[in-house]
Amino acid sequence: MIGRITGRLAEKNPPQILVDVNGVGYELEVPMSTFYGLPATGQAVSLATHLAVREDGHFLYGFATEDERTAFRQLLKVAGIGARTALAVLSGLSVADLAQAITLQESGRLVKIPGIGKKTAERLLLELRDKLAKALPAVAGNVSTNLPGNDRSDIMNALLALGYNEKEALGATKALPEGVSVSDGIRQALKGLSKA
C-alpha cells in the first residue's frame, strides 16, 4: 500500500498530477480542493494517497490532508459510489462542508455536485450519517447539530428534500419535542412518518 508520496511536482493536468520521486513519476488523481492548494510545478509536494487495485489497472489518488483521504475512503464504501464520484464530492465540498451536509441531512448541497442525483445523495446521507462522524470526530465535532431557532426549519427542509410533501413534513415537525437537535429531530420525524 502506498500511503504517502513526497517528491517534486512535475505536471499539473486537472484532475491528474505527476509527482517525480527520485526519477520515478507517479500519476495521481486529486480532488480539486487538493489541486488548488498545490505548489507551482517544480516545487516539492507531499500528499496522503490511496491506492486502488482493479482489473483494469492500479490507480493512485492523492490528498492534501488525512481528513480528505479518510472522507474519500468512507465515500468509496457507499454502494454505487466509485472513485470518480468520490473525487467529485470532495471537489464540490470541503470535508467540513460534507460533514455538515451529512449531519444536517442536507441532500440539496450534494445534488449540486455533478454526477450526484437525488437518490445517490439520499443514499450518501443515510449510509454516512454515523460513519463519517466516527471516522472524522474532529471535523464532525465542529458541526453544530443544535441550532436554536433554525432547528424546526432545518428538520422541515430535510423532510421536504427526502420527498415528503409540506403537509406531512409540517405535521411530523410539530409532533417533535422542544429543544430537539436537528439530527435527532429528523430521525424522530422519519419514525413518525413511517408509522403513519
Side-chain angles (χ1 to χ4, degrees):
M1 188 69 152
I2 300 171
R4 177 165 291 281
I5 291 277
T6 301
R8 183 181 59 82
L9 184 59
E11 289 179 24
K12 289 163 62 170
N13 301 309
Q16 199 171 64
I17 63 170
L18 182 70
V19 178
D20 184 315
V21 181
N22 298 324
V24 178
Y26 289 91
E27 288 181 349
L28 295 94
E29 283 196 43
V30 297
M32 295 314 287
S33 53
T34 293
F35 189 86
Y36 293 135
L38 289 172
T41 304
Q43 299 293 312
V45 67
S46 184
L47 299 169
T49 60
H50 174 83
L51 176 66
V53 179
R54 299 196 312 245
E55 278 182 32
D56 56 340
H58 294 215
F59 301 90
L60 197 57
Y61 302 95
F63 307 94
T65 66
E66 286 294 325
D67 285 345
E68 274 188 341
R69 179 172 67 177
T70 301
F72 178 80
R73 288 176 171 170
Q74 289 299 318
L75 287 163
L76 289 180
K77 292 177 183 176
V78 176
I81 301 294
R84 288 220 181 275
T85 305
L87 283 178
V89 170
L90 291 174
S91 293
L93 292 172
S94 69
V95 176
D97 288 342
L98 175 63
Q100 184 178 37
I102 289 167
T103 302
L104 300 177
Q105 296 290 290
E106 295 177 336
S107 63
R109 290 170 81 176
L110 295 173
V111 173
K112 291 177 184 172
I113 298 166
I116 303 287
K118 188 175 180 182
K119 287 185 179 180
T120 304
E122 288 171 4
R123 190 173 13 179
L124 280 170
L125 293 177
L126 182 67
E127 292 192 32
L128 291 178
R129 184 173 58 218
D130 299 323
K131 293 177 186 170
L132 201 64
K134 287 178 188 165
L136 299 166
V139 174
N142 291 333
V143 178
S144 174
T145 57
N146 197 1
L147 307 170
N150 291 330
D151 287 356
R152 301 262 176 206
S153 62
D154 287 343
I155 295 166
M156 176 91 169
N157 289 334
L159 295 174
L160 292 171
L162 289 170
Y164 291 100
N165 65 40
E166 202 167 332
K167 184 180 175 185
E168 292 170 325
L170 193 58
T173 308
K174 281 184 177 178
L176 296 173
E178 278 300 318
V180 68
S181 70
V182 175
S183 57
D184 286 340
I186 293 168
R187 204 170 295 119
Q188 290 175 29
L190 289 173
K191 278 183 188 174
L193 286 165
S194 66
K195 291 175 185 174

